Amino acid sequence: MCSLTSLLVLGLLCVAVRLNAVDEFRFASYYGDHMVLQKVPERAVLWGYGSTGSKVIVSLVGEQGSRAEQAVSVQNGIWRVTLDPVKAGGPYNLTAIQQDAARAQVTLTDVLFGDVWLCGGQSNMAMTLSQVFNASEEQALAPKYPHVRIFMAALEHSDEPLMDLARVEVPWSVPSPELVGGPAFTHYSAVCWLFGRYLYKILGYPVGLVESCWGGTPVEAWSSTRALQKCGLEKQEKVDSSYLYLPGRLPLLPGWMSQFMLTWKKSILWNAMIHPLLNMTIKGAIWYQGEANTNYNLLKYACSFPAMIDDWRATFHEGSGGQTAADFPFGFVQISTDVKSSQSESFPILRWQQTAGYGFAPNPRMKNTFMAVALDLPDETSRWGSIHPRDKQDVAYRLTLGARAVAYGEKGVSFQGPFPAKVLLSGDSINITYTQAVSVTPSKSVFEICCTQEKTPCRSNSTWLPAPIMQWGGRYIQVSVSMCENVVSGLRYAWRDWPCNFKACPVYSADRELPAPPFTVNRWP
């Protein structure tokens, strides 16, 4: 069986074969003026195209005139260097010179070193700043953050893994109102930009943002065959995304909607929009996806999503020659809401599946991850359909809290809402002890109990009855089970598509900053 390293090398050779003789000496598609490269302790990887057998000299020149050079040979039309570690800052000029008969030179200017984050997912990640609340004010702030640089891969798909991006939508750029705004769903991600902006205010050094996402797409499109095999999903089939975006979910069908009306095959976006980035050294990734899987392989998501994370980590580590951490931090958004009156359990089930059945992150299956809960951010009047809430500021802020705690190890940063540590049935009530102090608003229905004739596991089609909140204090909540005349076999919280109004769920952290995530407890496993 081929190793990941051999697969990546093979990819390089395949690129060289497809290009035949490379006439143009250049960097790969995702390097350019204004870019951010990963800072110390990691080392940035650079690669490009040249004439086989030629020698390439790569030099990095800083403001103070300091100069670092490395030499490498072009093999099969490809050259590649790994820079020495560079501290955060800049700007630098980065020059690559091809010597010998085919002499050529390329210089990239205004290069910064900092932390590089990859932003992936579907349409809620693809929503631009022009679509969110307070859009004009948010866009006007962009020039105040010149050290938060943005890059965006173009929408492409491929049946085979590509070594380089087929196209670039937004080359590395200094942010402007136009660049971070742009047309709906087709320009720069609001969540990605806001996450980078908030993170920069904490870190105080450059942040590079690489967006690679596409609306209406299931996790299978972003997963390699290796990852899919882990979950028995490798069998190829076509998925009509008009099924994933059901009629009525989007009241308007503007031009960008045509992007969604494609027939998806597994791995086609991994091949075209993730695999080409593997040689890049990154700090971590954030992800907003899952809505498409509420109608496709829903009960497999607890396997397919963690498997995708594992595979991304392994392949980025291999592709960067070990510079990207083998367990790089991975943040994700637990999906928000869709239909207010829905009785379907597909959204709550998907939220649970996103955590691999633990209800929180990080967890034993998904280590070094962090989760932004978003079920309390519904938007019934969103112009883009209620499946596309406009409050992306809170989503990004919650992701930033997770990054501070998990990716940067910042002490004292609360990034998780309350979660049950112990559930005890006593008489006609259940006492729930939480991991932290809670702020509670009374509710008669957000908690539910599973009521069965005998001791048996609870399922979606079991009888679930309201369990009103009776009292609370400190770290506990007591709910009533008096409505069940038989056996209380389970308990769940916020197990609905749309469990509460905007920032009005019943249970939050003591400071009311972070909502408690949904959970389900089965008394008889």
Side-chain angles (χ1 to χ4, degrees), residues 332 334 352 355 357-364 366 369 371 416 419-420 517-518:
F332 63 96
Q334 191 179 51
W352 189 251
T355 67
Y358 285 89
F360 56 88
N363 60 56
M366 304 171 69
T369 64
M371 177 175 74
Q416 296 171 306
F419 197 80

Side-chain angles (χ1 to χ4, degrees), residues 74 182 275 284 340 361:
V74 181
H275 189 274
K340 190 171 186 178

Side-chain angles (χ1 to χ4, degrees), residues 305-328:
F305 180 43
M308 187 204 78
I309 296 173
D310 291 345
D311 190 67
W312 280 27
R313 285 171 166 170
T315 50
F316 270 94
H317 181 68
E318 291 280 352
S320 65
Q323 296 307 310
T324 297
D327 63 343
F328 66 76

Side-chain angles (χ1 to χ4, degrees), residues 197-218:
R197 198 184 86 193
Y198 298 160
L199 200 57
Y200 172 78
K201 292 176 72 173
I202 299 299
L203 299 176
Y205 58 74
V207 175
L209 301 171
V210 177
E211 178 189 344
S212 186
C213 59
W214 195 326
T217 53

Side-chain angles (χ1 to χ4, degrees), residues 122-133 152 180-194 211 213-215 245 256 260 288 291 379 382-392:
Q122 58 178 111
S123 57
N124 270 304
M125 181 64 86
M127 282 183 72
T128 67
L129 211 59
S130 63
Q131 296 176 266
V132 306
F133 288 130
M152 179 179 177
V180 298
F185 295 106
T186 61
H187 214 56
Y188 210 77
S189 163
V191 170
C192 188
W193 163 252
L194 291 167
E211 178 189 344
C213 59
W214 195 326
Y245 271 87
W256 52 262
F260 301 148
Y288 195 161
E291 297 89 347
D379 186 1
S382 173
R383 177 187 173 190
W384 318 106
S386 55
I387 199 171
H388 296 119
R390 287 168 289 176
D391 179 11
K392 294 298 189 272

